């Protein structure tokens, strides 16, 4: 009986640990007339602590970091582009609506958390650079990650986030190559 309980406890702990991760399920870069657009999608769920904080009025900030580097034989790799974009997710108790706003853009309202999370999991394509930024014919390494940005939380929650694993939500760096045509 003890072995069964131990096995169930280990299985439950592994599920809790895996629930705190963000998986980058899709990432691609394409050249357009305006510049270079990044298309991404993520797979993750908010744990109970994050949902409770959100419903109690604490906004959550999800930051996507993108870095394009070009190899050089004579020195360190050249960082051609390094940009970030943050999506702020909040809940309004009076209207019972979730709000998601991307830095520098309009705010959108949603009636359910799942609808708001769909914007974060599958964000619209993002123009990360102008057409003249990258050199034609060169191959670039693209690095991408998404994380819950605890530095933008209110100060009391920042302290809690440092000590509590429920507040550590991040993806590994996803890397791929992109050749400029």
């Amino acid at each position: 009986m003890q072995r069964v309980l131990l096995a169930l406890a280990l299985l439950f702990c592994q599920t809790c640990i895996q629930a705190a991760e963000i998986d980058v399920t899709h990432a691609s870069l394409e050249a357009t007339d305006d510049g270079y657009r990044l298309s991404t999608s993520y797979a993750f769920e908010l744990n109970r602590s994050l949902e409770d904080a959100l419903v109690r009025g604490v906004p959550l900030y999800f930051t996507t970091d993108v870095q394009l580097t070009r190899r050089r034989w004579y020195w360190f790799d050249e960082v051609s582009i390094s940009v970030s974009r943050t999506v702020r997710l909040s809940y309004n108790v009076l209207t019972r609506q979730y709000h998601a706003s991307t830095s520098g853009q309009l705010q959108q309202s949603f009636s359910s958390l799942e609808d708001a999370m769909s914007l974060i999991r599958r964000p619209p394509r993002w123009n990360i650079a102008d057409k003249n930024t990258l050199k034609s014919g060169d191959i670039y390494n693209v690095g991408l990650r998404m994380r819950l940005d605890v530095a933008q939380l209110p100060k009391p929650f920042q302290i809690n986030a440092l000590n509590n694993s429920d507040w550590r939500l991040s993806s590994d760096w996803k890397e791929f190559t992109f050749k400029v045509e």
Side-chain angles (χ1 to χ4, degrees):
M1 183 67 176
Q2 290 178 344
R3 288 183 183 173
V4 172
L5 290 175
L6 181 62
L8 286 173
L10 288 173
L11 180 66
F12 180 72
C13 288
Q14 284 181 339
T15 308
C16 292
I17 292 169
Q18 291 173 352
E21 291 298 316
I22 299 174
D23 292 324
V24 181
T25 57
H26 168 75
S28 65
L29 194 61
E30 66 177 327
T32 64
D33 293 337
D34 298 336
Y36 298 96
R37 288 187 178 243
L38 180 69
S39 174
T40 60
S41 63
Y42 307 97
F44 70 99
E45 297 294 328
L46 293 181
N47 57 41
R48 195 71 178 140
S49 297
L50 294 175
E51 280 187 38
D52 287 344
L54 183 64
V55 170
R56 290 193 168 113
V58 178
L60 301 177
Y61 298 87
F62 295 92
T63 300
T64 302
D65 301 314
V66 180
Q67 194 171 53
L68 271 74
T69 57
R70 185 173 59 94
R71 286 202 161 291
R72 294 191 289 195
W73 64 272
Y74 59 90
W75 198 245
F76 298 111
D77 292 349
E78 172 191 21
V79 177
S80 303
I81 298 172
S82 182
V83 292
S84 295
R85 180 171 70 171
T86 300
V87 177
R88 179 182 187 266
L89 179 63
S90 61
Y91 179 71
N92 188 322
V93 179
L94 295 175
T95 63
R96 295 183 181 176
Q97 288 193 333
Y98 293 89
H99 301 283
S101 59
T102 306
S103 48
Q105 295 181 354
L106 293 176
Q107 177 174 305
Q108 292 179 302
S109 299
F110 301 94
S111 58
S112 72
L113 177 59
E114 190 58 36
D115 290 343
M117 289 300 295
S118 68
L119 177 72
I120 295 171
R121 289 185 193 118
R122 288 175 296 286
R125 293 186 309 159
W126 172 26
N127 195 12
I128 62 167
D130 293 333
K131 193 74 170 166
N132 302 342
T133 307
L134 304 178
K135 296 178 184 175
S136 181
D138 284 351
I139 297 175
Y140 291 86
N141 294 323
V142 182
L144 161 76
R145 76 170 175 179
M146 178 191 258
R147 59 191 163 82
L148 177 65
D149 195 352
V150 294
Q152 295 192 37
L153 293 172
K155 293 293 181 196
F157 289 97
Q158 288 181 16
I159 294 168
N160 184 36
L162 293 174
N163 298 324
N164 191 342
S165 63
D166 288 347
W167 289 81
R168 292 188 206 122
L169 190 63
S170 179
S171 73
D172 292 329
W173 281 94
K174 167 125 179 146
E175 296 184 356
F176 61 95
T177 57
F178 176 71
K179 183 173 183 178
V180 180
E181 300 294 326

